[in-house]
Amino acid sequence: MKLLIIHGPNLNLLGQREPDIYGTQSLDDINQQISAHAESRNVHITFFQSNHEGELIERIQSAGEYDGLIINPAAFTHSSIAIRDALSSLSIPKVEVHLSNIYQRESFRHHSYSAAACNGQISGFGGHGYQLAIDAIIAQQ
Ligand code: DQA
């Protein structure tokens, strides 16, 4: 099984960025944990991070060859109909992940444009959420 994991804007700053909310692990640390978990499940992961909405959309558009997509659209979750539309066009299993529990935070984070275009959403379990998402996609097969 091949999965694509997309990290949206500012997630390249994990570890330095608001550590009280997002923790002290860097994106590389989190990706390494994801890779170790994926290996134990015999899953191959490709990672992609971008701070640019158009690049994220193009990556989503070309993800049809994967068996599933896990995406943390970060702030675009709450603003981007274009990312939602790209996700809606893609007919593979999709899971939206957030490190923080977006429903415990400011009200503008309570609405996700993208979640409705995914099979489900995992929010509030830090980097472990990506591992839960991998297992959720395996369970859907
Ligand atoms: C986030 C939550 C978003 O509201 C925020 O803009 C992020 C990160 C999370 O993983 O908790 O950048 O997606």
Side-chain angles (χ1 to χ4, degrees), residues 114-134:
S114 32
C118 294
N119 298 58
Q121 184 197 59
I122 295 166
S123 175
F125 295 101
H128 189 66
Y130 295 98
Q131 299 177 30
L132 298 173
I134 290 169

Side-chain angles (χ1 to χ4, degrees), residues 9-11 17 22 72-75 77-78 97-102 105 109 130:
N10 299 305
L11 297 175
R17 174 193 182 204
Y22 298 115
N72 183 345
T77 304
H78 320 296
V97 171
H98 298 285
L99 299 160
S100 61
N101 181 343
I102 56 175
R105 300 183 61 196
R109 295 184 204 276
Y130 295 98

Side-chain angles (χ1 to χ4, degrees), residues 44-70:
H44 182 264
I45 305 280
T46 301
F47 294 103
F48 180 75
Q49 191 276 327
S50 176
N51 295 319
H52 303 276
E53 189 176 18
E55 285 183 5
L56 294 165
I57 290 166
E58 281 167 8
R59 197 69 193 88
I60 294 165
Q61 285 182 358
S62 63
E65 66 180 281
Y66 291 91
D67 301 302
L69 170 67
I70 296 168

Side-chain angles (χ1 to χ4, degrees), residues 24-43:
T24 53
Q25 283 189 309
S26 68
L27 188 58
D28 276 351
D29 294 338
I30 290 175
N31 284 347
Q32 275 174 32
Q33 282 181 349
I34 294 170
S35 294
H37 182 78
E39 251 174 61
S40 76
R41 303 287 196 266
N42 214 14
V43 169

Side-chain angles (χ1 to χ4, degrees), residues 73-94:
F76 287 136
T77 304
H78 320 296
S79 67
S80 179
I81 298 169
I83 287 180
R84 179 204 177 111
D85 285 351
L87 288 167
S88 294
S89 306
L90 183 68
S91 56
I92 59 173
K94 289 153 281 181

